Each structure stands twice: as C-alpha cells, then as structure tokens.
Amino acid sequence: MPPRAQGRGGARGGGRGGGRGGDWAAFADHVIFAPAAHITTVGVRRPGYGSTGRPITVNVNSFTAEIPDGSIYHYDVISADKALPSRMNLEIITALQDHVAPHIFADTRVVFDGRKNLYAPVELDLGGDSCEGHILQFDVNLPGASQASPPKVYKVRLTRVAKINTEVLHRFIEGKQSQDNAVSTALMALNVVIRMQPSMRFPTKGRSFFTLDNSRDIGGGLKLVRGYFQSIRPAIGRMLINIDISTGVVYQHGPLIQLCLAYLNERNPLVLSRQLDERRRVRLGRFITGIRVETRDASTNNTGATRARVVRRLHNEGANEVTFVMRGGRSMTVARYFQEATGRALQFPSLLCVEVGQGALIPLELCTVLPGQLVKKEIPDDKKADLVKFSTMAPKARLESIRKGLDVLAYGQSEYVRKFGLIVEPSLPATQARVLKAPTLRYGPGSRALRVEPRNGSWNMADKRFYNPATIANWVLIVFESRFSDNHVKDVIKNFVEGCRTTGMTVTDSNPIVRRTVANSNIPDTLQAAGAACYAEKKVPPALFVVILPEGANDTYTIVKHWGDITKGVPTQCMKSRNCTRATVQFWANVALKVNVKMGGINVITDPSQVPLLSDPHNPIVVLGADVMHPGAGTNGRPSYAAVVSSVDSNAAYYIATHRVQESRQELISDLQSMTKDLLTKYMAYRNKVEKVPVSSMAPKRLVFYRDGVSEGQFQQVLQYELPMIKAACQELKIDPRITLVIVGKRHHIRLFPRDEDADRSGNCPAGTVVDRDIGHPTEFDYYLQSHGGLLGTSRPGHYSVLYDDNNLTADTMQSLSFALCHVYAGSTRSVSIPAPVYYADKVCARAKIHFDPSKTDGTWSESGFTNATETLEATKRDFKPVNLAQAGRMYFS
C-alpha cells in the first residue's frame, strides 16, 4: 500500500475536518471538495454548493468511521446443498471457524453475508497456490435434527475472489477515485463487518436488527418491535455510519393455536377445525405460511428431540380425518399416529394440521411458534395505523435513542469490527444547513392579498381566491349514509356552495338534485339515475357528483371512483359523513381545493418573479413526475403499476396523468416512451387551446423529470433505459427540450436535527432546510431538502440526485426549483415533502384499484389480491381500464 500522505486530514478518522469529533460546520465553509478531472460519475458531477438561504447548524444521525488501512480479502462461499436460510449459513460458517478449521482462522475473524460473500482482514491460508481462484473444500457438521439421527454434514467450498486495497475508499471519498467494482465491494464488505455481530444476536431484516425489548401487541397475532438501522455510506471527505431507529413486526410466539386464534379474533380452539369457512381458512393459511415452528419428534418416553420446521401450508382436514399410509402398508389418521407414538391422545384431534418440512403433517397443538420471527409480508391495512403511531418519535426522543443505539451496537466491543480495524467516532457530528426562502405564491383577482409568503411551509385560504377558479354549472348530491339527517343535507349544500364561492369558484346551481340510498345498493345505477334526473329537470347533465359516504365504505368509494373516472368521465368528490357534520369553514375550503382542480381550475402558482425558471415565457418548461408501485411484501404474481404526470400550464401548477400496468416488481417504466409522448402532446395542446399560445411557441424548451422510487444501484439503468425513451418521445414529436433528470429518494434513513433556537414548533428543522455538504455523495450532484414543516414525529428530508442535466442548473437553482414545486400541491395549503409532480405520481399509482371493474365476480382485486384468473400480466393489462377521455385532461387524482 502506498505511504499515507501528510495533510490528508490530520488524525485518522478526522477526514479533512481535522481530528476526531471535529465539527463539520467549522470546515465546511472554507474547504470545497471538487472531483478530480479524471473521475467518471454515474450522475451529474457536483457543480458546487448552494449558497442562498439562512445558515443554521444541524446534527445528522451519521457517525464518522475511520477507514481501516490494508486489504480486505473477498471469498465466495459455495455449499453443495440446496439454498439454506441465512441464519443456518451463519451457523455453518461459525462452526467452520471454531471447530472444523480453526487453524485457518487462528489469527482473524471472518464476516459472512449469509448468502455467498465472505470477507477476511487477512489472507486465509487455503494451502497451495493462494492466488485468486484457489478453492478449498470443507465438511462442516452441525448437530442432528434428533438424538437418533447422525450429524448433518454440509460441504462448503471457499474460493478466493479478490484482494481489495482499502486505499480505494480513501481516494473515493476525497473525489480522486471513480466508483468502480473495487469501491463497491469494499463498501459491501464494511457493511457486512458492522452487521455481523448484531446478526448473530438479534432478528434481522435487511440492514436493520431488532432487540425485542421494546414491543407492543397490536392484536391479530402481531407485535411491533423497535430496533436499529445501520449502513456505511461514503460522504464528502469521510466515511459515515448512518444509524436510525427502525420498526419491525414480529409474530406472536408461543402455541401455534394461540397465534391462529389471535389472527381470526376467536377464543374457542375448536373453530380451527373443518367448520372454519373456506375463505377464512385460506386467509389463515397465507398468514402462517413461512413461519418457523418448533415440534417434538413422536416418542413414547418423551425423549423425542425438538426441531425447528417451516410451515408450508395449512391443511384442510383435521388430525382425526386426514390419513396416510405407513411403511408397512397400514393406513391411519394423523391423530391416531401421534397417540400411538406418544401414548397420549391429542387434546384437540379435530383441529387442522399444518404441512411442514418435506410434507409431514403435524397437528396444530403440537407446534410452537419460535420467538423473534419478523413478518416479511405486508401487514393488514387495519394494523398500519398502529405501525405508524409506534414508529413516530419526536426529534429529541429519536436523537436520544440513536445515541443509545451506539451502546447497543457496541462497535468497540465487536471482535469482527476490531479485527477489521474499523473505528467509529462516538460523537454525533454537526454540519452546515441552509433554510431557503419560501417562494411567494400568487392567488387570483378578488383576493385581499394577491401574494402570500408561506411561513414554515404553511399558509391559509382566508380571503384568498383561486388563481384560476372553475365553474360548477350544476351538480348532484348522493347520500349513502342512512343516518344523515335532512338538516345535515341542507347544511352540506349550503356550506359546499359557500366554500366554493368564497374561494372564487362560480356555482350557478344552489339547489342540486339529492338522492339517498344505502351503500349496498346498485351504486352505478344510483349515480346514473341521479344524473338522468338532473338532466330531466335542468336540461343539462351534472358537471359534478358530490357523494357522502358512511364510515368504512371503501368498496363504495372504489365503485364511485370507477364509475366517475373510468366509465362515465365525470368529476366526483367523496366525503365521509362524520366530517361533514359540524365541519369548519377550513374544511369546506379544503374541499374546494380539490374540486377546483378536478373541474379544470388552478388553485395557486408560484410568483414568476420568485421562480423565473417555472414561468419564463422564452424558455417554457414542462415538469414531469414518475413513480412505480409494487405489490406488497410476501405476494407473488401481482403486477406493478407505473404512473407519469406532467404539468400542462405555463406555471407548472396544473397536472395530468397517465397510468400503465407492467411486469411484477420491475422498477424501470416499460412504456415510458409512449407515456411521455402522450403527456407532451397534451401539454402542447393545452398551451395552444387553453392558453392561446401560437403553435410555433407551444413546445417546451426545458423538460425537468423527477423520478421516484429508484435505488442508487439502479441509477445507471435509468440513464441507459428511461432517459433514451424520454428523448425518443421528444424526437417523435419533433421537439428538442433540454432535459434534467432528478431522482427523488424517500426511502432513506438520513434525519436532520436542529438546535433548539432553529427548530419549529414540532422540534424539526424548518421547512426549506437543505444540506448539500458533508453528508452528500463524494463526487455527484445531490442534496437533502426538508421542504415541509413538521407535524408529528421526526421529518424525513427528500434526497435529490441529479442524474442528467442539459440545462446546466446550479445547486441554488436546482434546490430552489424543487422547493418551489413542493408548494403547488393542489390539495393542501402546506408545502409537501416532495415536489408536487412526484406526489401526484405516487397517488395515481395508489389508485390502481379503481381501474378494474368492481362489478366483476372473478375478483380482479380482493383482500388477498389477484385471483388465479388474473395473475398473469396480459390478463391484468386486459382488465385494467384507462381513465375516461373526458377525465384524462383533468386532475381527477387530486
């Protein structure tokens, strides 16, 4: 390894900021990290740092880690057996080190990712030629499954893959090294190093582990637990370990019967017999499939050994009903077999059996759920509110828990961390942030003040008129709540009309057609009949359907939206009955926010003088947002849904959307070219027909594309796959806008903690806090922007990575543009956490359910997802109905 240069940051671990524990804010002002000229990047090279805004100092939940000097040796671990669980693989490697070949590991401890990658801080003596590709095989014994069976032998082969000099990491964080395979492998190795000790002690999921000492029972056989997330990340001038609080869900441990009863919300064990109806049995089977249970081998002297097995499925017959043939040809029931083998009859012989292992059937009462099993599937919808509440922590409480997390992680006590020479600074560092000035917002004529200055991400509609108010010629009111009185109906009509008119909308009909019905009626016929009555009486069809729903009427909501947005092509506004009674003026103003854009109006724009990039008539801009929604964890066969939205007006405040079905869990958008072409065509049509811009000037000169949901490992694929499709769409339309492509990340664990004097009322950083120093990528253009004011818990900033930029935007311009777009979300008078087009794309994806005909009996959508008839991609595409053309040009998704 080359000698360490002087002046590389003073004491080891201090980076360019000086010694250990150095205050980042102290050096960030005068040291600029610029990537070397020869460096290649995936995204745009960092053009510099932003400078606008009020400077503040914030703490970040990332601790400085000293990169070890020397080399890391990478080995492939290949087992001749079939794929094994990660925990069993770890046990095999532990046995290999401690018992099978201790002489090879005498001077070190290796770390293993549980799959195939093993890393060592020194070269292992595999005998013979030690060069890459050399292989050595071992026979590793683990204790047998029972006392009568011999120890299981696992054949393990170690193959040296590479020697990685950690100097590449030093060079990478200093902007002198491109991110190549050696850098990626070294980072992967260090992440395995810090994860090794916790993974041997605690339940783990990804990069999180859970201590199980802080839990909450939420019913349904589930418990919430807290733990810690940890990840090594390269930053500007130093290596960081990002530590955050993590929340997990575990199964209730103990008798499997009790877990099943808790899930079904039942008390009598006998319900778990054949009398259980098929639908509930199928749901229960899905719930327990994959759970590890402990069973005891059948033995007449109670010496049968216990073993852990995985539930494969729930059988549909009881132990006293299902039979099997023994080796001698004798047929008997499962209940009889266990009675003869153990000398004791089952307490509940009629209860169903579970299939475990290689097809063995075990009665429910003989299975015990092992503790600490994390739920890998999507949790039920009725438990998600509990999950959110449990995971919500105020900033100070979260910060204190993160500090305590260092004691739990105990890096200094981990033999693996010590052997690799990794040192973690215990002090929480600070860095410079800036609070951007909020964009001035402009409302329409008739407002007491045409311009509004948001304060900490918030403003109100008092005495404001929409920038472009819509007209409601006539409308109908449908009430599905039987307990909604006539007086309530009168109040809704009066307050709805007043709420719309006070915001500048024109409502020409103050006496709408009213229809009452119940939620289990034929809803499409009810809606159609109300529309027909309106036409018969007023000689024009209704422009809007306002619908009052009872509590828990999710299916009714879906049917209404499918009828309005897909079938009929008419705006609908649904409201819960309880929200309409005794509602405040603010409530009706919020309803008007949604109705106005659904009817084609524009609520508010950013003042052109404040954000010229959005309103430059010489360089018209189109802003697009895209997202992909995948099926929940633990589901197979369901497709993913892609949505792209686009601004159409000259101020990037009014948006339209397009939606597609694509292959399950594919992140890249398959039909992006046709989707982009469709949206750009409508953008130019709106500019020409609505804004009266001449044909020669209606094409955009700039195109800014915000992409959500893409991991860092997929950045290159986005550039190679999605960016060319955007360009191809432009070429088809014979336009040539300058393109900027930005990834917006929400699923990260960076949190910003302000000092008391800078915090908002919730204890969070004020809206507009941006950080682009110290914690960003060593060479690429990224930043963290907390654009919204805090409400509950600790706010999460958006992480913006600029992958492509023909517009050559500066850091200040890019950051102010993103912040401004967080203020034009139509459904709120608060800035939102991500730019409005990304937020809209996320909402459009979430509305996939309304695109399927709810009257179908084959259950395209159901509680359990897709049925067998619609699990294929082509079948789903066939059943997926596009938005009605009459709605396609409106913000129906608001």
Side-chain angles (χ1 to χ4, degrees), residues 471-627:
T471 296
I472 304 175
N474 42 66
W475 56 291
V476 297
L477 176 64
I478 314 292
V479 181
F480 287 101
E481 172 58 88
S482 59
R483 294 170 294 182
F484 209 68
S485 69
D486 290 340
N487 287 334
H488 285 147
V489 171
K490 292 177 182 178
D491 288 343
V492 165
I493 295 172
K494 174 179 176 293
N495 293 330
F496 175 77
V497 171
E498 185 177 343
C500 291
R501 287 175 174 170
T502 56
T503 54
M505 298 176 67
T506 299
V507 183
T508 59
D509 185 1
S510 300
N511 187 28
I513 296 293
V514 178
R515 287 291 182 270
R516 286 180 172 276
T517 186
V518 291
N520 58 4
S521 62
N522 188 315
I523 296 169
D525 285 354
T526 299
L527 296 167
Q528 184 69 35
C534 178
Y535 185 82
E537 180 177 322
K538 308 190 178 187
K539 308 308 178 188
V540 288
L544 173 70
F545 284 72
V546 178
V547 180
I548 307 297
L549 298 175
E551 287 300 307
N554 293 335
D555 290 342
T556 305
Y557 173 85
T558 299
I559 295 171
V560 170
K561 288 300 177 182
H562 181 85
W563 183 85
D565 294 341
I566 311 300
T567 304
K568 199 67 178 177
V570 60
T572 57
Q573 179 60 49
C574 294
M575 298 179 289
K576 290 184 178 180
S577 59
R578 67 170 183 175
N579 294 335
C580 295
T581 58
R582 302 178 183 176
T584 64
V585 173
Q586 184 63 46
F587 171 82
W588 294 109
N590 289 338
V591 171
L593 289 172
K594 299 178 180 180
V595 171
N596 188 55
V597 293
K598 288 178 181 178
M599 302 296 295
I602 296 174
N603 293 350
V604 66
I605 67 169
T606 56
D607 193 284
S609 65
Q610 298 289 310
V611 194
L613 192 69
L614 285 179
S615 307
D616 183 354
H618 303 294
N619 292 283
I621 188 172
V622 59
V623 183
L624 293 94
D627 194 14

Side-chain angles (χ1 to χ4, degrees), residues 436-466:
L436 303 180
K437 184 179 184 300
T440 300
L441 305 178
R442 178 183 288 186
Y443 280 94
S447 302
R448 177 173 294 182
L450 289 177
R451 292 172 175 80
V452 177
E453 304 283 347
R455 300 186 62 182
N456 196 29
S458 180
W459 64 100
N460 63 59
M461 280 294 299
D463 300 318
K464 310 291 192 311
R465 302 293 183 269
F466 292 138

Side-chain angles (χ1 to χ4, degrees), residues 52-59 395 431-439 454-458 751-771 784-791 793-798 815 819 822-823 830-833:
T52 61
R54 172 173 60 90
I56 64 172
T57 299
V58 299
N59 290 115
T431 188
Q432 175 188 297
R434 292 169 290 113
V435 181
L436 303 180
K437 184 179 184 300
R455 300 186 62 182
N456 196 29
S458 180
R751 300 293 185 274
L752 308 176
F753 300 91
R755 297 181 177 176
D756 288 343
E757 61 270 22
D758 296 316
D760 65 12
R761 288 182 296 178
S762 69
N764 282 286
C765 290
T769 299
V770 63
V771 177
Y784 292 89
L785 171 61
Q786 191 165 302
S787 54
H788 58 299
L791 291 174
T794 306
S795 299
R796 186 196 334 242
Q815 291 162 13
F819 189 38
C822 295
H823 287 76
R830 300 179 62 91
S831 58
V832 289
S833 60

Side-chain angles (χ1 to χ4, degrees), residues 178-224:
S178 301
Q179 185 164 356
D180 55 15
N181 186 61
V183 171
S184 299
T185 303
L187 290 171
M188 188 187 309
L190 293 183
N191 269 304
V192 176
V193 169
I194 64 173
R195 193 167 66 232
M196 189 69 182
Q197 188 88 12
S199 67
M200 303 295 289
R201 299 174 55 203
F202 304 108
T204 61
K205 184 178 181 181
R207 294 183 177 179
S208 296
F209 67 92
F210 303 90
T211 60
L212 305 182
D213 56 359
N214 188 345
S215 65
R216 179 187 167 196
D217 192 331
I218 58 172
L222 302 175
K223 286 186 175 182
L224 299 175

Side-chain angles (χ1 to χ4, degrees), residues 85-88 91 203 251-256 259 287-295 307-312 354 356-357 367-374 376-377:
S86 295
R87 183 163 292 276
M88 183 174 289
E91 292 173 0
Y251 295 101
Q252 169 187 309
H253 65 276
L256 180 57
L259 176 65
F287 178 70
I288 66 173
T289 295
I291 292 177
R292 294 172 66 242
V293 295
E294 185 179 73
T295 64
R307 70 170 83 184
R309 288 167 156 175
V310 176
V311 174
R312 302 299 181 192
V354 290
V356 299
C367 299
T368 302
V369 180
L370 295 170
Q373 294 188 66
L374 290 162
K376 304 295 177 65
K377 307 167 187 175

Side-chain angles (χ1 to χ4, degrees), residues 732-783:
E732 282 191 68
L733 296 171
K734 296 181 171 54
I735 61 175
D736 187 25
R738 297 185 296 277
I739 297 172
T740 299
L741 173 57
V742 187
I743 305 297
V744 184
K746 297 179 296 185
R747 299 173 184 87
H748 62 81
H749 286 267
I750 292 293
R751 300 293 185 274
L752 308 176
F753 300 91
R755 297 181 177 176
D756 288 343
E757 61 270 22
D758 296 316
D760 65 12
R761 288 182 296 178
S762 69
N764 282 286
C765 290
T769 299
V770 63
V771 177
D772 60 0
R773 301 171 183 264
D774 305 327
I775 62 173
H777 192 279
T779 59
E780 298 182 1
F781 187 4
D782 73 337
Y783 54 92

